[in-house]
Amino acid sequence: YPGGWTIMQMNDFNKHSVHLHFSPSVNYSIGYRSEIWRNKEWQFHGIQFNYLIKRINTRKSQANFYLKNAVGLAYSDYKNFQSKIEPNLFSGISFDWEDRRYFTSYENKVNHNTSIDKFFLQKARVGITPYIGKYGDLHTWIMLQVEHMPQGRNKMIYTPMIRMFKGDFLFETGLSNYGNLMFNFIKRF
């Protein structure tokens, strides 16, 4: 939404993140991003810039293609490390397509800093809705998320999940094949 703010809280197997961003236009947003990588014991704090490369609207579906970049600091002060603060950047793309019955998405991310953590991550989702609601109704999706992180301890993570949204609120929850709870919340205002 041009001129709108969004707050996103994501909590999954690897990390907890918060992203607060402002959209000056339909084509881009800029804002603060925080990530706490629990198992890898480090944090990222910085500025994220998202750019809408292409949107395709048809009478029955919509597709979006984004470029996402961030720059900030990686911080680690945990039992296995001496206190470290390093410049950090990440970049990735995301793509989604949906109609009123089906949903698909793909995203990836390359993260780089000097010595705390370097990685490649990719995530895909497929979903179907059990019913087609009217505008303003509560919409529900049943989805499967597959996450691949080649350098991670658990290279493949499967998370069956439920997505619900109504108006400016979106809520997702699921349980991974490792028994970890995923919880995501988005509010637009």
Side-chain angles (χ1 to χ4, degrees), residues 101-162:
R101 176 69 66 188
Y102 302 103
F103 176 90
T104 61
S105 70
Y106 171 81
E107 65 181 272
N108 65 29
K109 177 178 178 178
V110 175
N111 188 80
H112 181 79
N113 54 55
T114 305
S115 64
I116 295 173
D117 198 14
K118 298 175 186 136
F119 64 84
F120 173 74
L121 167 71
Q122 57 187 343
K123 191 183 304 184
R125 288 181 173 183
V126 293
I128 187 168
T129 183
Y131 63 92
I132 296 177
K134 296 178 183 173
Y135 183 79
D137 287 351
L138 173 67
H139 298 272
T140 305
W141 293 84
I142 299 167
M143 296 185 160
L144 175 65
Q145 176 176 288
V146 178
E147 187 173 334
H148 177 238
M149 191 171 189
Q151 301 87 348
R153 183 180 61 188
N154 300 310
K155 296 181 185 340
M156 296 292 287
I157 302 167
Y158 303 94
T159 307
M161 57 185 277
I162 300 286

Side-chain angles (χ1 to χ4, degrees), residues 1 6 10 19 34 51 85 90 107 124 128 143 146-147 152 183:
Y1 302 107
T6 302
M10 307 287 185
H19 184 196
S34 169
Y51 179 71
I85 298 177
F90 70 75
E107 65 181 272
I128 187 168
M143 296 185 160
V146 178
E147 187 173 334
F183 175 81

Side-chain angles (χ1 to χ4, degrees), residues 16 26 35 39 44 47 64 80 97 126 157 160 167 180 187:
H16 173 75
V26 71
E35 294 179 292
N39 293 333
F44 169 81
I47 302 298
N64 301 291
N80 297 331
W97 173 89
V126 293
I157 302 167
N180 296 94
K187 166 68 174 120

